[in-house]
Amino acid sequence: MRLPGFLRRSVRRKVTALVVATTLAALVVTALALISYNVHDYRRAKLTEMRTQAEIIGRASAPALAFSDRREATRDLAMLEARPDVLAAGLYGADGALFAAYARDGDTTAIPVRAGRLGETIAGDRLDLVYPIVEDGQRLGTVVLRAQYGLRDRQLAYLLILGAAMAGALVAAVLLSAWLQRAVTEPIQGVADAARRVVDRRDFSVRAGRTSDDEIGMLADAMNRMLADLEREIRERRDAEEALRIVDRRKDEFLATLAHELRNPLAPIRNALYLMQAPGSDARVTSEARAIIDRQVRQMVRLVDDLLEVSRITTGNLALRRERVELRGVASAALEAVEPIMRERGHRLTVDLPPAGLTINADPTRLAQVFLNLLNNAAKFTPPGGRIDFSLEVKDGEMTGRVKDNGVGIAADMLDPIFEMFAQADRSLERTTSGLGVGLSLSRRLIELHGGRLEGRSEGPGRGSEFIVRIPAAGVSGPEAAGDGPGVVAEAGVRPSPRFGSQRTPPPIVTTPSRAEKLCRVLVVDDNADFADTLGRMLKSLGHQVRVEHDGLAGLAAARTFRPDIAFLDIGMPGLNGYDLARRLRAFPSTSGIVLIAVTGWGQSEDRQRARDAGFDEHVVKPLEMDRLQSLLGRMG
Amino acid sequence: MLLAPASARAQMEQEVKAAYLFKFLSYVEWPAAAFGGPHAPFVIGVLESEEVRGALADIVRGREVQGRPVEVRRLRDGETTEGAHVLFVGREATASLPQLVGRPGLLIVGEEEALDRGAMINLLRIENRIRFEVAPQAAERSGLHISSRLLALAYAVRAAAP
């Protein structure tokens, strides 16, 4: 839609047009009033003047009329020569007959012979006045004056003056309005500029300056408030989107981690089954394979349990079944469950428990789960042979449980994030621990459901950490907690149990190599000992020469001395990760020719790409099937 | 007018004279003492001129001058002129003029060279019109003032009386 020209112009020009229009209207009305007044006033003044003139002529010529002296009367009329506007005049006797006449141009023929009726007539520029001559109450006669009315000339001069005055007034009004309108247009301009900047640059931090206290100021305020609201909403939306993205990324990471963590136990189970099925496998091999399968299945059950907890937390179905629980019983359950890993990693565990019979109101399973989780973490994140303290006490209506270790510790900026779902303080490939990153988050939720708090402390990386559980224990019963010191101090100092296959010669599994296969020198490097050892066994059973290592650096050293034809390398390994190991092998002339195969739980396409970039020839996702293994080896021929 | 018969012309002349007598009242000032009061009448005495008196009586009937009624008094030779503001001496009575000179009142005559004999205004027939000549100083001697407007119309103004 096209607006009329006037509406499309800027406010400044509109205001100017407004001022000009209103000033012009006022001036025109004033001028009309003045002109009409002037016409009226001029007529009145002219008539008065002419009547006076007639009166003077009448009086002067009264004696001449009275004594019928035409000569004198004519002379009296000739006085009118002094008045240029009087064109002609006539004196009439009492009988109404022309007595004496006067004409400016000398031509008296136009003067009527008889006097007309008293009064005045204005026709065009002619004014005719018929006036009585009275003396001493006696009507002596009549005087007739014909004069130039002169209104036209007068009006012309008047209009000229008015026009000049109006032009002057208009110019003054425009100049004045140009000066005064800045008070109106500048604030509007400010608001408009701000609005344009917002629209053009999508910049909602722009604010209109408040320059006046009037409606425009209010408009600027309103716009600023709207901008502030908009800015805040956009920021909130952006934050919300960012939060969603983070959650989404965490979930993706979680799923990848989940796949990885599930494949890791699957691979040794697969291998163990191959070993059991292999011809010539004896009872010892079978029992060892069963032990492997048992361990790895337990790990998988733990993972699935964690997965269920995650689902309970995200759907809000995490609930407690609270009852009177005996604290020692709960602690013992957790300790029992954690005993194998403590023993395996050779930690020294100090336990300080309240006396038996002390009960609080809690969900025993969940409480035990929290302690188990904290103890498990301590065991996992403390290098073998570490020291772990577990204490439990009830004091001042509060149960306090502490799990303290001298392990890897936690950086100050990670103390909060580790409690978030799926968070893992160490996301590097060299991390030695496994898990879904659910434990601490779940534990904190469980403690909070108990009305308590779970907090972590650490003096920094490498300086150990401490996790403290506090639960209000109003309904404490049984022996007083703060009584006679520690009830039980138990110590568990166990050397790690020998790993499967290490330090002992595996029994030979006799397998006839297939026709195409060339016998190779094979290096296997994986920190999952069960997987590495079983894979090594399988390869040996195929007749290859095999070397097995459990971390990256050992693998690198073995590659240089053992000179393998082919190497199966895990990616996530302590010391040196698989990618770096591959790069180093490729960089070193004596090892650059090895066929490198990545065997890992990380199975996404970007993982494959990273493997290729690092120099791997193949990327295989665990578990490694026998067919696949044989086809890989077959290519060596 | 020129073709009018002589008698009719004479009568018209008397009527014009009568009108003049009346009109002179407007151009002459009398001393206040000449009147009995503010509304006392003007008295015009006509000596031995019945035509003029009759015409004048017709003219003044019902008329006022300066708020005063006008009264016409017929006078005979020898009668007193006391109380008359205007005294017109007809042609037949010019002989008694010397006795009238010096009396109060405006002395008007209609006779050649009357001014020389003490008249204040003299009515004359000139070019077939009735004109008048004036001797203002003679009037002044009797306490009368003749308006200059009247003098402007006079056929002649006698500057100084002997």
Side-chain angles (χ1 to χ4, degrees):
Chain A
M1 191 179 74
R2 270 177 68 80
L3 289 168
F6 173 74
L7 291 176
R8 276 186 285 120
R9 288 185 205 149
S10 72
V11 171
R12 216 162 64 80
R13 297 184 65 180
K14 280 182 198 166
V15 171
T16 305
L18 189 98
V19 167
V20 169
T22 50
T23 310
L24 205 60
L27 284 173
V28 165
V29 169
T30 308
L32 287 177
L34 281 173
I35 288 169
S36 82
Y37 173 75
N38 186 46
V39 169
H40 179 76
D41 187 55
Y42 183 78
R43 180 190 156 91
R44 195 179 51 77
K46 190 75 185 176
L47 285 177
T48 305
E49 197 186 324
M50 280 299 134
R51 283 193 199 109
T52 308
Q53 190 63 58
E55 178 79 31
I56 289 168
I57 291 293
R59 282 198 196 177
S61 51
L65 268 178
F67 296 102
S68 303
D69 192 330
R70 279 181 203 275
R71 203 164 51 86
E72 199 57 32
T74 307
R75 216 162 50 218
D76 288 342
L77 284 180
M79 290 192 301
L80 290 169
E81 280 169 3
R83 290 210 55 140
D85 57 331
V86 176
L87 301 172
L91 275 177
Y92 297 79
D95 53 0
L98 183 63
F99 183 67
Y102 160 80
R104 187 156 196 82
D105 53 8
D107 178 16
T108 57
T109 51
I111 298 166
V113 182
R114 299 199 65 83
R117 287 178 53 198
L118 295 182
E120 50 274 326
T121 2
I122 295 168
D125 201 31
R126 289 273 176 280
L127 166 64
D128 285 336
L129 177 68
V130 182
Y131 198 80
I133 302 172
V134 177
E135 191 153 86
D136 245 339
Q138 260 184 269
R139 173 78 180 272
L140 291 182
T142 308
V143 60
V144 171
L145 292 179
R146 168 165 291 180
Q148 225 164 10
Y149 191 32
L151 179 64
R152 210 170 291 163
D153 292 346
R154 165 79 178 240
Q155 288 295 64
L156 215 62
Y158 201 78
L159 283 173
L160 221 62
I161 293 168
L162 264 181
M166 280 169 76
L170 263 183
V171 168
V174 167
L175 291 178
L176 205 62
S177 90
W179 183 57
L180 288 177
Q181 68 172 270
R182 282 186 304 180
V184 177
T185 53
E186 276 181 7
I188 291 179
Q189 198 62 48
V191 174
D193 285 348
R196 197 172 304 125
R197 277 205 302 281
V198 169
V199 172
D200 287 352
R201 302 192 212 144
R202 315 286 309 159
D203 176 5
F204 297 97
S205 66
V206 168
R207 292 289 179 274
R210 176 161 194 169
T211 50
S212 53
D213 250 344
D214 52 10
E215 293 87 339
I216 299 165
M218 283 163 54
L219 181 67
D221 280 352
M223 195 175 90
N224 285 345
R225 270 202 298 277
M226 270 157 44
L227 280 174
D229 287 351
L230 206 56
E231 194 187 12
R232 202 189 54 237
E233 272 169 28
I234 286 171
R235 198 177 48 237
E236 282 170 0
R237 205 170 58 194
R238 205 180 293 141
D239 289 352
E241 282 169 3
E242 180 61 25
L244 274 178
R245 251 198 307 279
I246 289 172
V247 167
D248 196 45
R249 205 181 58 223
R250 283 246 180 87
K251 212 153 230 172
D252 283 348
E253 286 170 3
F254 168 72
L255 286 174
T257 308
L258 181 64
H260 174 259
E261 295 295 321
L262 285 172
R263 279 175 183 137
N264 264 345
L266 270 178
I269 291 170
R270 176 79 268 177
N271 291 350
L273 285 171
Y274 283 131
L275 290 175
M276 286 166 79
Q277 289 159 358
S281 66
D282 56 15
R284 194 170 55 81
V285 171
T286 308
S287 95
E288 280 173 357
R290 267 206 298 268
I292 287 170
I293 291 170
D294 182 57
R295 262 200 304 278
Q296 299 301 334
V297 164
R298 243 191 309 224
Q299 169 68 7
M300 289 186 79
V301 167
R302 265 204 303 279
L303 286 169
V304 173
D305 282 346
D306 275 358
L307 205 55
L308 287 173
E309 299 291 20
V310 168
S311 133
R312 282 195 196 106
I313 289 176
T314 51
T315 54
N317 283 332
L318 200 60
L320 296 182
R321 270 202 297 272
R322 301 181 79 148
E323 55 188 71
R324 299 305 307 181
V325 293
E326 210 251 348
L327 267 182
R328 274 188 78 105
V330 172
S332 301
L335 285 167
E336 211 168 279
V338 86
E339 195 266 346
I341 187 174
M342 289 291 176
R343 193 150 37 96
E344 186 187 328
R345 292 184 67 84
H347 295 313
R348 205 151 64 89
L349 177 65
T350 313
V351 179
D352 179 3
L353 293 180
L358 186 69
T359 63
I360 65 165
N361 188 22
D363 182 328
T365 319
R366 294 309 195 175
L367 201 53
Q369 188 182 356
V370 170
F371 292 143
L372 173 60
N373 181 259
L374 295 179
L375 287 166
N376 237 326
N377 279 349
K380 269 173 17 180
F381 294 102
T382 302
R387 182 193 158 89
I388 293 166
D389 298 328
F390 175 46
S391 73
L392 206 54
E393 61 172 348
V394 176
K395 198 173 171 186
D396 302 332
E398 188 178 67
M399 186 217 80
T400 309
R402 293 167 195 271
V403 176
K404 193 172 182 222
D405 63 52
N406 61 351
V408 296
I410 303 159
D413 60 345
M414 288 304 292
L415 273 175
D416 272 335
I418 55 169
F419 286 101
E420 283 169 31
M421 184 75 81
F422 314 137
Q424 283 176 333
D426 183 2
R427 298 208 58 83
S428 72
L429 293 167
E430 292 85 359
R431 68 193 168 92
T432 53
T433 57
S434 59
L436 293 176
V438 173
L440 278 178
S441 171
L442 174 64
S443 297
R444 178 172 265 187
R445 287 295 297 270
L446 290 172
I447 296 305
E448 280 169 0
L449 284 173
H450 280 92
R453 300 192 308 281
L454 169 61
E455 53 185 289
R457 290 177 188 170
S458 174
E459 289 176 12
R463 306 185 64 175
S465 46
E466 181 179 18
F467 287 84
I468 301 159
V469 178
R470 296 177 203 278
I471 295 176
V476 175
S477 64
E480 200 45 54
D484 44 6
V488 171
V489 177
E491 237 178 76
V494 191
R495 299 305 315 156
S497 59
R499 281 176 178 142
F500 181 92
S502 63
Q503 295 173 343
R504 97 175 56 165
T505 320
I509 300 173
V510 184
T511 311
T512 317
S514 66
R515 304 155 311 281
E517 275 173 36
K518 180 184 125 193
L519 290 180
C520 308
R521 297 170 71 82
V522 184
L523 174 65
V524 175
V525 188
D526 197 314
D527 63 331
N528 184 329
D530 279 343
F531 175 75
D533 295 345
T534 49
L535 179 58
R537 268 181 167 264
M538 283 160 64
L539 289 165
K540 274 181 189 158
S541 72
L542 291 171
H544 303 289
Q545 271 189 280
V546 180
R547 176 86 176 260
V548 173
E549 294 295 343
H550 296 124
D551 70 77
L553 288 170
L556 181 63
R560 286 175 183 166
T561 54
F562 178 63
R563 300 291 185 96
D565 301 305
I566 184 165
F568 293 90
L569 308 180
D570 188 19
I571 295 300
M573 286 186 296
L576 186 67
N577 69 52
Y579 298 132
D580 290 343
L581 176 55
R583 278 187 206 100
R584 292 216 197 168
L585 291 174
R586 286 279 183 251
F588 202 72
S590 63
T591 56
S592 64
I594 304 173
V595 174
L596 297 179
I597 295 164
V599 185
T600 173
W602 303 110
Q604 299 187 325
S605 60
E606 61 210 55
D607 299 319
R608 297 176 188 279
Q609 186 56 46
R610 279 187 75 184
R612 267 194 294 280
D613 293 346
F616 279 103
D617 296 299
E618 285 290 341
H619 181 280
V620 180
V621 177
K622 291 177 184 175
L624 180 58
E625 299 291 336
M626 186 55 103
D627 293 348
R628 181 91 168 114
L629 181 64
Q630 284 183 326
S631 85
L632 285 170
L633 289 166
R635 264 194 259 160
M636 295 302 296
Chain B
M1 244 203 290
L2 288 168
L3 299 172
S7 64
R9 208 165 64 207
Q11 168 151 8
M12 212 176 102
E13 195 178 305
Q14 300 310 314
E15 282 173 7
V16 169
K17 283 182 179 172
Y20 276 27
L21 290 180
F22 175 70
K23 284 172 180 172
F24 284 146
L25 296 178
S26 300
Y27 301 98
V28 177
E29 280 178 36
W30 277 265
F35 298 98
H39 299 293
F42 275 110
V43 177
I44 303 174
V46 180
L47 191 68
E48 297 293 353
S49 181
E50 200 48 32
E51 295 93 337
V52 170
R53 191 205 61 81
L56 188 56
D58 286 344
I59 291 169
V60 303
R61 189 171 299 125
R63 281 186 164 177
E64 285 191 348
V65 176
Q66 290 160 18
R68 300 173 192 276
V70 180
E71 198 180 299
V72 180
R73 194 179 293 172
R74 179 199 291 173
L75 294 173
R76 292 188 199 287
D77 205 8
E79 261 183 321
T80 179
T81 60
E82 200 72 37
H85 302 95
V86 176
L87 196 61
F88 178 70
V89 181
R91 195 167 301 207
E92 294 84 353
T94 44
S96 55
L97 199 58
Q99 290 91 50
L100 299 172
V101 171
R103 296 275 186 89
L106 183 69
L107 186 59
I108 301 172
V109 182
E111 183 67 61
E112 295 295 323
E113 293 165 3
L115 294 188
D116 297 335
R117 291 189 283 160
M120 298 168 191
I121 294 175
N122 190 22
L123 300 174
L124 296 170
R125 182 188 179 84
I126 294 166
E127 290 169 6
N128 221 13
R129 280 190 64 204
I130 301 297
R131 306 290 303 268
F132 56 88
E133 52 182 8
V134 186
Q137 281 160 346
E140 296 286 342
R141 277 197 291 273
S142 293
L144 305 176
H145 177 72
I146 297 172
S147 163
S148 62
R149 298 169 72 203
L150 190 64
L151 297 183
L153 295 173
Y155 172 72
V157 176
R158 180 64 53 91

